[in-house]
């Protein structure tokens, strides 16, 4: 099995690809915390493996992307302790062997490059990847696999948290799309404003990118919150929750011998 580890600002995602059935078979998400320890990860993953009837020795290769420097060392220690494997840490030099390229390899996030790698490998043409994470990102790659650029906006949870944190009387609300775009009470008003507002933002950004580049790019959405905004369902050609995990696997295998 291949293990992709995606350490983001909100979650550390462990995704398991089973070569025998050629699919992503298991996934566990752990809240990202800068003080997390290797011991904590061993405890959580030990329970997960037990509950899913998995054995650590089934893991043959590990790819690792992180945008949170503080969790890198604990995760690397965890991999060595639990699996006896040193994970491949994706960095700027990792992209040299890929079919996609960027002129700023040390600036673009490894998670975004994983998205771009997986999307381009799948479509074989220029596309836009919309990632609904802690930040809402729009990554644009051309027909030859070159990264044109990236747009970054505060994510849905970030927007809700900011509103709740910086106002005295507005409550923190669940990310649920109300039936009406016009709020009938405080909770619905916040949900309608943020969620319908973000739907409009995404549509507007896609329209602006296409107009500027004069190309009707295909769009792939990913990220844990990509399915919440149902008004956007016609704006995406595909929604792939495993896109980042797939990209981490592709980048790792391009830089290390593939191990079944």
């Amino acid at each position: 099995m291949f293990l992709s580890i995606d350490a983001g600002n909100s979650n550390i995602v462990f995704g398991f690809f089973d070569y025998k059935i050629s699919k992503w078979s298991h996934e566990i998400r752990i809240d990202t915390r800068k003080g997390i320890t290797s011991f904590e990860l061993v405890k959580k993953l030990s329970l997960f493996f037990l509950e899913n009837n998995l054995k650590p020795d089934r893991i043959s290769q590990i790819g690792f992307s992180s945008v949170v420097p503080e969790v890198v060392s604990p995760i690397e220690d965890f991999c060595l302790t639990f699996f006896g494997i040193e994970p491949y840490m994706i960095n700027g030099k990792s992209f040299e062997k890929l079919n996609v390229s960027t002129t700023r390899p040390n600036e673009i996030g490894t998670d975004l490059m994983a998205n771009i790698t997986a999307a381009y490998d799948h479509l074989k043409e220029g596309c836009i990847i919309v990632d609904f994470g802690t930040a809402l990102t729009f990554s644009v790659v051309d027909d030859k696999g070159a990264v044109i650029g990236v747009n970054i906006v505060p994510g849905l949870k970030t927007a809700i948290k900011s509103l709740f944190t910086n106002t005295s009387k507005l409550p923190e609300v669940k990310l649920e799309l109300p039936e009406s775009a016009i709020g009938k009470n405080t909770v619905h008003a916040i949900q309608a404003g943020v969620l319908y507002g973000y739907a409009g933002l995404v549509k507007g950004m896609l329209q602006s990118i296409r107009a500027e580049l004069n190309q009707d790019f295909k769009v792939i959405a990913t990220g844990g919150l990509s399915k919440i905004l149902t008004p956007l369902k016609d704006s995406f050609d595909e929604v792939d929750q495993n896109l980042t995990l797939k990209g981490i696997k592709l980048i790792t295998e391009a830089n290390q011998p593939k191990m079944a």
Side-chain angles (χ1 to χ4, degrees):
M1 297 182 77
F2 185 96
L3 169 59
S4 283
I5 304 176
D6 176 24
N9 289 293
S10 297
N11 300 111
I12 303 171
V13 182
F14 298 80
F16 300 84
F17 183 86
D18 192 333
Y19 289 111
K20 291 182 178 180
I21 59 176
S22 192
K23 65 184 293 187
W24 295 91
S25 57
H26 297 82
E27 180 183 301
I28 178 173
R29 291 174 176 263
I30 297 173
D31 290 342
T32 301
R33 185 168 51 80
K34 293 181 179 180
I36 199 167
T37 65
S38 173
F39 179 70
E40 289 178 73
L41 293 171
V42 169
K43 286 181 62 178
K44 290 180 182 293
L45 269 293
S46 294
L47 180 60
F48 175 80
F49 268 60
L50 181 63
E51 292 174 340
N52 290 277
N53 195 29
L54 295 172
K55 294 183 178 180
D57 62 8
R58 286 199 61 193
I59 305 302
S60 59
Q61 194 172 17
I62 304 173
F64 179 24
S65 164
S66 177
V67 296
V68 185
E70 292 85 352
V71 304
V72 170
S73 181
I75 292 175
E76 289 179 329
D77 290 344
F78 155 74
C79 291
L80 286 169
T81 300
F82 195 67
F83 300 110
I85 298 174
E86 182 177 355
Y88 177 75
M89 183 74 186
I90 297 175
N91 57 69
K93 293 183 179 180
S94 302
F95 313 140
E96 295 174 359
K97 297 182 179 180
L98 303 179
N99 291 325
V100 296
S101 62
T102 172
T103 58
R104 300 178 181 273
N106 295 313
E107 289 186 18
I108 189 169
T110 54
D111 55 340
L112 299 185
M113 280 303 292
N115 288 342
I116 290 166
T117 300
Y120 188 76
D121 180 77
H122 173 57
L123 295 174
K124 303 292 192 300
E125 63 179 278
C127 56
I128 303 170
I129 303 96
V130 184
D131 189 342
F132 291 84
T134 305
L136 170 61
T137 60
F138 300 78
S139 303
V140 190
V141 59
D142 69 17
D143 289 329
K144 295 182 179 180
V147 177
I148 299 174
V150 177
N151 292 337
I152 302 175
V153 181
L156 287 164
K157 284 187 177 179
T158 305
I160 290 285
K161 184 177 181 180
S162 175
L163 195 61
F164 166 70
T165 302
N166 294 293
T167 55
S168 299
K169 293 185 177 182
L170 295 182
E172 189 170 15
V173 302
K174 292 182 179 180
L175 285 172
E176 297 177 350
L177 187 74
E179 292 183 2
S180 173
I182 303 172
K184 305 301 181 182
N185 56 52
T186 301
V187 170
H188 286 171
I190 295 172
Q191 291 174 327
V194 172
L195 294 171
Y196 281 101
Y198 265 71
L201 184 156
V202 171
K203 290 179 180 179
M205 187 67 75
L206 293 175
Q207 182 180 12
S208 296
I209 292 171
R210 284 167 165 153
E212 182 173 332
L213 298 175
N214 194 28
Q215 185 172 341
D216 188 23
F217 290 96
K218 286 188 176 180
V219 181
I220 295 183
T222 190
L225 301 174
S226 57
K227 291 185 177 180
I228 291 177
L229 296 179
T230 52
L232 290 173
K233 63 181 180 179
D234 294 331
S235 298
F236 306 137
D237 294 282
E238 295 183 37
V239 176
D240 188 344
Q241 301 288 355
N242 292 324
L243 195 68
T244 311
L245 301 178
K246 291 177 180 178
I248 292 172
K249 178 176 178 289
L250 288 168
I251 294 172
T252 300
E253 290 175 346
N255 286 276
Q256 286 189 339
K258 183 177 179 180
M259 302 173 67

